Amino acid sequence: DGQDPKRAYCSRLPAAWKDDDLRKACEPFGAVARASVVADTAGASRGFGFVVFEDEAGKAAAVAAGYVRGRLSKDDGREKYAVRVADVNRGGDDVCRLWTKHACPHGAACRFEHPPGLGGLLPARAAKPKKCLEFRASGKCSRGDACPFRHVAKKATPVVGGGGTADGGGTAPPVAAAGPKKCFNWVRKGKCRKGDRCKYDHS
C-alpha cells in the first residue's frame, strides 16, 4: 500500500515506541486502520514508521498539523517528543536524500531514514588494487606477475616552455644565460640615484 492516499509517514519517533504507541499518538487526527514502526534486523526501532488512517480526512489533518507533540511516560523519563508527520509520497525532513536517488553508501549505519519503496543503496563497486610504488618509481617490479598491486607507469612531466620532458625524453628548450638583473629605476625612469654604485644593470 505504498501509494495508499490514506498512508502517512512518521519520523523522529521515540526509541521505545511500538506500533500501539504510534497508533495512539495519531488517533486524535482520525481513526487509524494500522500503524507500524520500522525496526532493524535486531528488532530495535529505526526512528520512523507509517500510519494508515481509515479515511483521507484523518491523514490530511495529521499532515496539516505537521507534528504530534507530547511527553513520554514516567518509565521513559517524561521527556518531550515531537513526531513529524508527512505525506508518505513526499517524505519528511529526516529522509535520506541519497536514498531517494538510490545512491546512499552508508546502509544501516546511515543516520537518516530509508523509507521502503522510495529509494535504494549505492550499488556495490569492485575495489581497485593500489598502485605498485616500486614499478611506478623504476618502471619494473621484482615480484613480476605475482605482485598484488597494479603496475602503472609514471607519466612523463612536460617541461614548461618547450617540447622536452623532465625525464630526458625529447629535446629540452635552450636555457637563457644568467646575467645581472636590470635596474628597476633605470628601466622605468631612465636614471638611478645610485649611479655607478648600483649593483644592477643600466643598459
Side-chain angles (χ1 to χ4, degrees):
D1 56 356
Q3 300 300 323
D4 192 331
K6 302 185 291 295
R7 188 169 183 243
Y9 170 76
C10 302
S11 61
R12 306 182 186 178
L13 303 182
W17 271 24
K18 303 298 181 184
D19 295 351
D20 288 341
D21 299 308
L22 180 57
R23 174 194 294 272
K24 292 176 182 178
C26 294
E27 281 180 344
F29 300 109
V32 177
R34 58 186 176 277
S36 61
V37 176
V38 178
D40 58 18
T41 55
S45 171
R46 291 189 61 188
F48 69 98
F50 300 92
V51 174
V52 179
F53 290 88
E54 293 287 355
D55 51 49
E56 294 186 31
K59 174 192 172 180
V63 172
Y67 290 89
V68 179
R69 303 180 189 274
R71 189 182 292 272
L72 300 177
S73 64
K74 290 183 179 180
D75 296 338
D76 295 322
R78 297 291 295 169
E79 294 182 1
K80 292 182 179 180
Y81 64 82
V83 174
R84 179 169 175 80
V85 183
D87 188 341
V88 70
N89 296 319
R90 180 175 60 85
D93 291 342
D94 292 338
V95 175
C96 176
R97 303 305 178 190
L98 292 176
W99 170 266
T100 60
K101 299 177 182 179
H102 295 268
C104 180
H106 307 295
C110 183
R111 62 190 182 94
F112 297 102
E113 278 76 31
H114 291 170
L118 293 182
L121 297 174
L122 182 69
R125 297 179 180 178
K128 288 185 177 181
K130 295 181 179 180
K131 297 177 181 179
C132 175
L133 297 180
E134 182 183 353
F135 187 87
R136 185 174 176 82
S138 61
K140 57 184 178 179
C141 176
S142 58
R143 288 170 287 191
D145 295 338
C147 182
F149 302 106
R150 289 190 298 149
H151 288 171
V152 179
K154 185 176 181 180
K155 294 182 179 179
T157 304
V159 176
V160 177
T165 58
D167 59 359
T171 303
V175 179
K181 293 182 179 180
K182 296 286 186 180
C183 174
F184 178 79
N185 288 326
W186 180 269
V187 172
R188 185 177 180 185
K189 301 178 181 179
K191 58 182 179 179
C192 176
R193 61 185 178 85
K194 294 182 180 180
D196 295 337
R197 294 181 292 105
C198 181
K199 64 179 180 178
Y200 298 107
D201 182 33
H202 289 174
S203 62

